[in-house]
Amino acid sequence: CKPFPKTLLFQLLGLSIAALSTVTHYGLHFTLISNVSLDGNSYRVIHHTAFYFGICLSMTLILAALLSSAATVRESQCLTAMGFFCFALAFCGLIPAACWRYTHSTEVEDSMMDVYDFVYEEVRRNASSPRRHELTAIHEAFLCCGKHSPFGDTATVEHKTCPPSQVRDAGQDCLQEIQDFLKKHMDFVFSLLGVAIGFTVYGMILTSFLWFSIHFSSNLNRKGKYILR
């Protein structure tokens, strides 16, 4: 029986998902928003859930690849079945994740912009607010400066919290910058989900063929053999 094909690709895919989950969870842009979000805002829940889901998914794919490889070497039906179960488990997690991304396409963006709105308006109302440092950090991370507010002049807030280069060059609106940044990131996440779904289906098909080939091969090897009692 030949070695299980594409094992390395499954492991790389699992590592890619783990790396993306880690960047999403510990990246500067995301941690800044998560740290200042309120308990009533859904962003912090989404932030942590996405990380743990990504890590579990990556571990499942890597385990499935290792089990399938070991099953091929040992010609074990049990290991093959376990590999198929891991691929099926990953598939059952990927489909709801992709559906959620499609049906809640703007929820993450809205929750991040709500956090920025809250911090900005609090600093605008009270220039000595402790959140002034948080607003400054957000401006520096997203390379933006303030927003268009219907509640009056915001020049004072922007001069105190925006990087000097952004103030001088009339920096970009932060709400738009946050939306553009997150849209690019979520498009990449959705593309990786699509690739992962395709590979898990491929893995389930391969492990199924592997299980049947081992099963029928063992039956053929027993034909014509007799046991004396």
Side-chain angles (χ1 to χ4, degrees):
C1 193
K2 295 182 180 180
F4 187 75
K6 310 296 184 182
T7 300
L8 182 59
L9 288 179
F10 285 110
Q11 294 177 353
L12 289 176
L13 179 61
L15 291 175
S16 299
I17 294 174
L20 181 62
S21 302
T22 303
V23 169
T24 303
H25 191 262
Y26 294 105
L28 176 62
H29 300 80
F30 300 101
T31 53
L32 281 174
I33 300 296
S34 178
N35 290 337
V36 300
S37 63
L38 299 176
D39 294 335
N41 189 283
S42 60
Y43 176 75
R44 187 174 295 178
V45 176
I46 297 173
H47 183 72
H48 291 293
T49 302
F51 172 71
Y52 293 119
F53 172 80
I55 295 299
C56 291
L57 177 61
S58 65
M59 292 175 62
T60 303
L61 287 174
I62 293 173
L63 179 61
L66 294 176
L67 287 172
S68 301
S69 180
T72 306
V73 174
R74 297 189 178 186
E75 298 187 3
S76 170
Q77 290 179 267
C78 180
L79 291 176
T80 306
M82 292 173 63
F84 177 85
F85 175 77
C86 288
F87 280 121
L89 186 64
F91 180 79
C92 291
L94 285 166
I95 293 299
C99 291
W100 186 91
R101 173 68 184 95
Y102 181 77
T103 56
H104 298 76
S105 58
T106 62
E107 184 171 338
V108 181
E109 297 173 5
D110 292 342
S111 62
M112 285 188 75
M113 290 189 290
D114 286 343
V115 172
Y116 179 80
D117 266 332
F118 167 76
V119 176
Y120 186 91
E121 293 302 326
E122 185 167 320
V123 174
R124 188 185 64 82
R125 289 192 300 266
N126 181 12
S128 60
S129 171
R131 293 194 179 274
R132 174 181 166 182
H133 300 290
E134 297 169 349
L135 184 61
T136 302
I138 293 174
H139 286 162
E140 292 176 350
F142 286 93
L143 296 178
C144 59
C145 183
K147 66 170 188 172
H148 300 295
S149 176
F151 299 105
D153 183 27
T154 59
T156 303
V157 178
E158 294 172 1
H159 279 287
K160 290 182 177 180
T161 61
C162 293
S165 60
Q166 294 293 322
V167 175
R168 183 174 58 254
D169 300 333
Q172 298 294 323
D173 181 278
C174 278
L175 294 179
Q176 186 63 47
E177 286 296 307
I178 291 173
Q179 188 177 26
D180 293 342
F181 169 81
L182 194 59
K183 186 178 183 301
K184 293 177 182 178
H185 184 80
M186 294 304 291
D187 287 344
F188 184 76
V189 170
F190 193 66
S191 299
L192 189 60
L193 283 177
V195 172
I197 290 173
F199 270 89
T200 51
V201 173
Y202 180 56
M204 287 190 292
I205 295 173
L206 286 179
T207 48
S208 298
F209 278 113
L210 179 61
W211 189 90
F212 282 109
S213 65
I214 295 174
H215 176 74
F216 288 119
S217 175
S218 61
N219 286 342
L220 288 174
N221 289 336
R222 284 196 295 268
K223 283 188 176 181
K225 294 183 179 180
Y226 301 92
I227 299 176
L228 298 177
R229 297 187 178 183

